[in-house]
Amino acid sequence: MKLLLSAVVTAALSIGLTTAAPAIVWKAGSSPASPSHISERTDTSSLLASTLNNNDDSSALSNKSGLSAVIFLVGRDADGSEGLVSMASSGKLPGVQEKHAHADSIHYHVDGVESSRTVAKDAARLSGGMNVVEVALEEFHRKLASLAQSEQEEEVVDAAAVEGGNKKAKKAEQKRRRAISEADVLIVSVTDKDNAAAIDSSIVKAIDSKVVQNVILSSIRSTDEVKRSRRMAVVDKMNKSARSASAGRRRRLDEENGDENNNDNGQQEEGVYYVNMTPNIFAGLLFFFMFVFVTHLGLSCMNMIEGQDVYVKKMPAIGREV
């Protein structure tokens, strides 16, 4: 049982997890015999939509004062690689390893997990009006402790806090505290600087808590994946522009000639083609080599001009041989 998560990491690496971010989902009230393993590419929006919108009305009413979801995002390592795989493979998450068998689903290839801010925007857009807040690990513990209390105790604590030392607190701190208290979805950002034991215990507490409906454990994708996706986006954009330009040329030819056969003859290969140099660059290189050759030839000819080696002040008499 202790090596289950390591085995999952090994299997994920074998199918290309080094270029994607994994995600493990736990759902309250769901107790499958074994988690469903999903190796296909999954978008972040579809993952959040399926997780945040799976609650029925009864569960929503029963957990009205609780959290709809808690999303843990592990930051990148110092070398820019994905952090969750390295932490799991090194055995730093023993509690998550024990809870791994009770997960609802395991996604090996989640695309689009760029940062906690982008995940928070997607969650706010797909949650249907829920309050989404990015918090640190300590703020999550305070939120979970406040939810564990009864509503009356929470009201007493809040009133005492307002009348007491919070009078001197800044408005930004009060606004932050109010936003966390009203949050329905928490995005917990953790880094390699945080204690691994604290991260593991926080995830286990969220899974075991009765006030949390869904828990997602994922990781910010590596810098290599970000660069690769940006390159693919540029190539896709160039392909679309090339296809639109070729389609426009074909339409103009059809309108001018009125020939239906132009549809077959006008089909061109689609894609991006790279050449070593343009015609202007090639012409410039030819002119440069010609200029070097002509200059070398001219200097060589000028160097062949010779004069006399001896100069005298008195010239010899005319008709007399020297």
Side-chain angles (χ1 to χ4, degrees), residues 24-28 96 99-100 102-104 207 213-215 217:
I24 306 175
V25 181
W26 289 271
K27 295 181 180 180
V96 177
K99 297 294 183 181
H100 167 265
H102 304 285
D104 183 78
I207 297 172
Q213 298 182 16
N214 303 295
V215 178
L217 174 60

Side-chain angles (χ1 to χ4, degrees), residues 279-295:
N280 293 334
I281 296 177
F282 184 71
L285 291 175
L286 291 179
F287 176 80
F288 173 77
F289 290 129
M290 184 185 69
F291 175 79
V292 171
F293 175 76
V294 172
T295 303

Side-chain angles (χ1 to χ4, degrees), residues 260-308:
E260 296 180 354
N261 293 327
N262 286 335
N263 292 330
D264 298 331
N265 298 328
Q267 292 179 354
Q268 300 177 357
E269 295 182 357
E270 298 178 356
V272 180
Y273 300 92
Y274 297 93
V275 295
N276 294 326
M277 63 186 68
T278 61
N280 293 334
I281 296 177
F282 184 71
L285 291 175
L286 291 179
F287 176 80
F288 173 77
F289 290 129
M290 184 185 69
F291 175 79
V292 171
F293 175 76
V294 172
T295 303
H296 177 71
L297 181 62
L299 293 176
S300 300
C301 293
M302 292 180 64
N303 193 32
M304 294 175 62
I305 299 175
E306 296 182 356
Q308 58 185 5

